[in-house]
Amino acid sequence: MRHFLDFEKPIAELEGKIEELRRMSEPGGINIADEIGRLTAVADKQLRATYAKLTPWQKTQVARHPDRPKAQDYINTLISGFTPLAGDRAYADDAAVLGGMGRFQGRAVMVLGTEKGIDTESRVKHNFGMARPEGYRKARRLMELAGRFGMPILTFIDTAGAFPGIEAEARGQAEAIARSIEACLEAPVPIVATIIGEGGSGGAIALATGDRVLMLEHAVYSVISPEGCASILWRDQAQAPVAAEALKLTAEDLLRLNLVDRVVAEPLGGAQRDKLTTVHAVGLAVQDALAELSASDGATLRAKRREKFLAMGREPVA
C-alpha cells in the first residue's frame, strides 16, 4: 500500500475512490471508465497543486518518506559489479554506511552511502542511517583507497545525523567525522555527493564534502533537524515547522545560497512515486558532474574543493 503524508490526505481520498472504481470495473463488473478518468484528472490536478507550494516542513516530511529510494537502490541500479567492503580496520563494521567498489557507466568508482533501511528489521540493522565512528572511519579508509587507485568517489547521503549515543561519543564520534571530512578534502580524485533524502548535520557533511554536491528536489540539508532546533530555541518540538522555515533547508534555498551545485528534479508527487525515474535522473546528473571534473588533475581538484568550502558563508565582494 502507498503511504500518504498528512498533507496528502485529500489526494489519498481521491486515489482511494479511483482504486475502488477500478475494482468495480473488472470483468463482470460495471464499466465506469469515464468516472475513473474524471477522478484521475482531479487527483492529478490536486497532486500538482499540492507539490507546487510545499512548505519547508512539508518538504522535510517528503524527504523522510519511508518509500523514497534509498542508497542501496541507487547502488543496485547505477553501479554494476558492486563489491561491498566492510570494516574500519580498528573496531567493527557499521551497516549504516554502505561502501564498496563497482563501475559507473563502465568506469571504476568507489561508492559510499548512508542507508536507512526499508522495514523494521533492516532499519534496526542499519541503525536508521545514523552512523557510529566506525562508519566514518570506514568511509575514510575507502576514500583513501579510492585516491590510491584513481577511482572517482560517489556518495549518496540520507541520514538524520550521526548516532548520538554515549558509546559513539566514547569511541570518538567527533574525531571520526572530522577525519572523514578531511579525507574528502584531501582526495586526489573527483567526488560527487548527492543528498537523496535527509542531509543531517556533520553526519551528512562527512560524506558530502565533494567537488559537486547534488540534491534531490524534495531533499533537505541542514545543520540540525527542525525538531532539534525547535527543542533548543523554544523548548517545544511543536515549533518544528517554524524552525524548518528559518533553517533554509530546502534544495531551492541551498542552491540560492550556493551551498549545493545542482538540484535534480523529482517526479510529480516525489521520488517515492517513481523510484526508477528518480534514480536514473540522479545517474544523469552524476554523469554530467564526472564529465566536467575528469579534466582536472588531483592537485587542481583539491585546491578548488578546499576553496569551494572555505567560500561558503563569505560576503560577496562588491
Side-chain angles (χ1 to χ4, degrees), residues 20 35 40 44 64 99 102 106 127 183 203 207 211 214 220 226 239 270 272 274 288 307 314:
E20 288 179 14
E35 181 64 10
T40 299
D44 183 72
R64 295 171 175 170
N127 201 34
L207 300 183
D211 301 288
L214 315 177
V220 294
Q239 296 295 322
Q272 65 275 7
D274 192 342
D288 292 343
E307 180 55 34
R314 288 181 184 168

Side-chain angles (χ1 to χ4, degrees), residues 68 100 182 231 258 267 271:
R68 282 179 76 84
E182 179 184 47
S231 294
N258 293 319

Side-chain angles (χ1 to χ4, degrees), residues 204-227:
I205 201 170
L207 300 183
T209 311
D211 301 288
R212 296 292 180 271
V213 180
L214 315 177
M215 187 171 177
L216 280 175
E217 179 184 1
H218 300 310
V220 294
Y221 192 17
S222 176
V223 69
I224 192 172
S225 70
E227 296 94 331

Side-chain angles (χ1 to χ4, degrees), residues 137-149:
R137 291 180 179 128
K138 173 169 69 174
R140 177 189 176 192
R141 180 174 75 84
L142 298 190
M143 284 189 275
E144 291 174 348
L145 183 66
R148 286 197 294 274
F149 287 95

Side-chain angles (χ1 to χ4, degrees), residues 188-211:
V189 293
I191 302 177
V192 181
T194 308
I195 313 297
I196 59 174
E198 282 189 278
S201 192
I205 201 170
L207 300 183
T209 311
D211 301 288

Side-chain angles (χ1 to χ4, degrees), residues 18-270:
I18 292 168
E19 188 58 35
E20 288 179 14
L21 290 172
R22 281 180 176 150
R23 286 197 295 267
M24 290 173 61
S25 63
E26 289 175 354
I30 305 171
N31 187 355
I32 46 177
D34 290 344
E35 181 64 10
I36 290 175
R38 186 187 71 79
L39 284 177
T40 299
V42 172
D44 183 72
K45 183 178 179 180
Q46 180 73 45
L47 190 63
R48 289 182 183 279
T50 298
Y51 273 77
K53 53 182 177 61
L54 292 180
T55 66
W57 177 239
Q58 288 171 334
K59 288 219 171 197
T60 302
Q61 293 174 277
V62 177
R64 295 171 175 170
H65 198 291
D67 297 333
R68 282 179 76 84
K70 304 296 189 293
Q72 190 70 67
D73 295 310
Y74 289 88
I75 293 171
N76 291 345
T77 304
L78 299 178
I79 309 300
S80 60
F82 179 70
T83 301
L85 299 173
D88 65 347
R89 299 297 186 267
Y91 182 79
D93 185 44
D94 185 355
V97 176
L98 304 178
M101 299 179 291
R103 291 189 176 274
F104 175 72
Q105 298 180 348
R107 183 175 184 178
V109 293
M110 185 68 76
V111 186
L112 291 160
T114 43
E115 173 63 35
K116 284 185 173 180
I118 58 172
D119 54 27
T120 301
E121 183 179 356
S122 63
R123 285 169 189 149
V124 170
K125 173 186 174 182
H126 295 290
N127 201 34
F128 300 85
M130 296 184 292
R132 297 176 171 86
E134 46 271 25
Y136 297 113
R137 291 180 179 128
K138 173 169 69 174
R140 177 189 176 192
R141 180 174 75 84
L142 298 190
M143 284 189 275
E144 291 174 348
L145 183 66
R148 286 197 294 274
F149 287 95
M151 294 184 291
I153 300 167
L154 309 182
T155 69
F156 300 97
I157 297 98
D158 185 15
T159 179
F163 183 61
I166 293 175
E167 66 272 26
E169 295 297 330
R171 295 199 296 274
Q173 183 73 290
E175 183 266 350
I177 290 172
R179 292 294 185 186
S180 184
I181 295 171
E182 179 184 47
C184 287
L185 289 170
E186 292 299 318
V189 293
I191 302 177
V192 181
T194 308
I195 313 297
I196 59 174
E198 282 189 278
S201 192
I205 201 170
L207 300 183
T209 311
D211 301 288
R212 296 292 180 271
V213 180
L214 315 177
M215 187 171 177
L216 280 175
E217 179 184 1
H218 300 310
V220 294
Y221 192 17
S222 176
V223 69
I224 192 172
S225 70
E227 296 94 331
C229 179
S231 294
I232 293 170
L233 295 182
W234 296 287
R235 302 277 194 263
D236 182 6
Q237 285 198 8
Q239 296 295 322
V242 179
E245 183 74 38
L247 285 167
K248 304 300 180 188
L249 45 62
T250 69
E252 181 182 9
D253 288 327
L254 293 161
L255 185 65
R256 187 178 67 252
L257 294 168
N258 293 319
L259 298 179
V260 300
D261 301 296
R262 177 174 172 178
V263 175
V264 180
E266 296 186 26
L268 177 63

